[in-house]
Amino acid sequence: MPYVQRDSTGQVVAIFAQPGPGHDELLPAGHPELAALAGASEFAHLDADLIRVIEDVVDVLIDRGLLRLTDLPPDAQRKLLARKGARARLREGLDLLSPNGVI
């Protein structure tokens, strides 16, 4: 049975396996408030996946010359370039091999 933390309006905002300061209320498994929180988390994950798909589609359209980055609104250009830069930095940070293949 999970312990929950509520915000000032009484909404469940976090779920914990153990009780602690600010989260000592126990709710039974399958409680509707837990299901609602889990559903919101699932949609957030699906949204993140869809964003990645849209980025990939935009990249393909640009690569094929069907779209120019400058065809997009400035805010969209800025967001796409920021995410592309963040992904590149993440990829570089995860490269555990040195240039000569030695760890």
Side-chain angles (χ1 to χ4, degrees), residues 6 27 83 102:
R6 296 183 182 272
L27 287 182
R83 285 189 56 88
V102 179

Side-chain angles (χ1 to χ4, degrees), residues 31-56:
H31 190 280
E33 288 181 288
L34 297 176
L37 187 63
S41 174
E42 180 180 355
F43 272 107
H45 179 71
L46 291 172
D47 286 349
D49 288 347
L50 183 58
I51 289 167
R52 179 61 194 265
V53 169
I54 291 169
E55 286 180 84
D56 291 344

